[in-house]
Structures are given as structure tokens and as C-alpha cells.
Amino acid sequence: MRYPEAMVTLKKWTVDELLAMDKAGLLNPEKRIELIDGEVYEMPIGENHADVVDRLTEVLVKQFSGKARVRVQNPIFLDQADLVQPDFALLDAAQDYRNHHPRPESVYLVIEGSDTTLAHDRGKKLGRYARVGVREVWIVNLNAGYTEVYRDPHGDEYLTKFVVQKGSSVAPLAFPGDAVTLL
């Protein structure tokens, strides 16, 4: 007896399915995961990355207290195929996020610390941010010692990109008077 050839397909997940799996205890709570284009990614954090997150948390909270909510390594809902956990997000402080994760329209700035995940962050993830209209993304390139600034989303890309060296300052578009000195 001959069987037809099986077609191998990739199962794409939705945010609702991922959250249901988490609620059911099927996901390891110690793992930092993201859903990008319906695919689940585990996002590692090395020592240098963790140190930068700690130090930048202090800077951002101090600088933007009362102006924006500083979200650290917590989910942002982009659409049903994308639930990301950037290292930082500056959010609209007037919004209530108790019953839902922030949406792109509430996000002023996303900051990703990146070393081992640089290609992923610059590629698929940055394209997703642009596609849903996240206004500004900074990628702190831990390997090269500078920050890549992306602004003006259009389609799956950002029209404006520039680099800011470590120790220099840049202000988010939403807060032009609040320059951040980069670590």
C-alpha cells in the first residue's frame, strides 16, 4: 500500500493561543519568549546585555518619570501574530494597561539591547515594528558600542536611520527636550 507524500507545514501561532498556553502552564515562566510572525522565539540575555538593561532602566525611569511609563522587558501587542518583549518601551502614561498589553499607538519608543540577536532584531523584528507603525526604535548594538536609531516607519522599514556613538546623546521624537546619554 502506498501513502501519499506528507506535506510538512509550519504551525503559526496567534497571540491568543500563546497566552492560553502560558495561562495553562505550558510555557516555562523562566524563559523570555516572543511571538513574531506567528513563530515563537526564545530570547537569551547574557551578562553584558543584562547589565545594560539594569543601567539603562535607572536612566530611563529617572528621566521620564511623570512623562511616560517605562516598560522593561514586558510584552507589547503588535497584532495577532506578534507579541514582542523589547528591552524597553516608553509608553503613554495616561493609558491603563491592566487588562491588555500596550498597542503600537501607545508606544513612543522601543529600545532593543542586542548582541547575539542583532540580525534578528534588525531584520524580522524591526520590520514588524515598522509595519504596525511603531514611531521610533533604538537598537543598542552591544558588540559595536553604538546605538542605531530608526524613525519614520513606512511599510516594513524605517525611512530615517542614523547611528549615535556610546557616550553621546539623542532625544526621542516624542520628547525632544529629553536627550538620553547612551551607555
Side-chain angles (χ1 to χ4, degrees), residues 19-161:
L19 294 175
M21 287 187 292
D22 185 45
K23 192 175 272 190
L26 299 174
L27 302 176
N28 184 340
E30 294 181 18
K31 301 286 184 181
R32 186 166 170 250
I33 62 164
E34 295 184 313
L35 185 69
I36 301 174
D37 192 26
E39 299 173 358
V40 177
Y41 291 86
E42 185 178 326
M43 305 305 291
I45 297 182
E47 293 86 356
N48 185 31
H49 188 160
D51 181 64
V52 167
V53 169
D54 289 345
R55 291 187 294 129
L56 197 50
T57 297
E58 292 173 12
V59 169
L60 294 173
V61 168
K62 182 178 178 183
Q63 187 147 353
F64 294 100
S65 179
K67 299 174 187 174
R69 179 177 296 186
V70 177
R71 181 165 268 226
V72 182
Q73 296 183 334
N74 279 321
I76 304 288
F77 176 93
L78 301 182
D79 58 26
Q80 265 303 323
D82 300 287
L83 186 69
V84 296
Q85 289 194 49
D87 289 307
F88 302 97
L90 291 184
L91 306 174
D92 181 348
Q95 297 293 316
D96 182 354
Y97 304 109
R98 284 180 282 189
N99 297 313
H100 64 84
H101 293 301
R103 305 300 199 258
E105 58 273 9
S106 299
V107 178
Y108 297 124
L109 170 66
V110 164
I111 304 174
E112 296 281 2
S114 192
D115 47 12
T116 60
T117 60
L118 187 58
H120 176 74
D121 291 339
R122 277 186 186 147
K124 187 177 270 198
K125 199 167 182 183
L126 188 63
R128 290 293 189 228
Y129 286 137
R131 188 193 62 190
V132 298
V134 172
R135 299 170 238 191
E136 184 170 12
V137 177
W138 297 357
I139 297 178
V140 180
N141 185 328
L142 299 171
N143 300 322
Y146 57 74
T147 296
E148 302 167 12
V149 177
Y150 297 88
R151 295 175 172 168
D152 306 316
H154 182 74
D156 286 346
E157 63 184 356
Y158 286 86
L159 300 179
T160 303
K161 176 195 170 192

Side-chain angles (χ1 to χ4, degrees), residues 3-29:
Y3 294 98
E5 284 192 38
M7 183 89 174
V8 176
T9 59
L10 172 68
K11 164 62 174 134
K12 297 278 188 163
W13 300 97
T14 67
V15 170
D16 290 341
E17 290 170 328
L18 183 73
L19 294 175
M21 287 187 292
D22 185 45
K23 192 175 272 190
L26 299 174
L27 302 176
N28 184 340

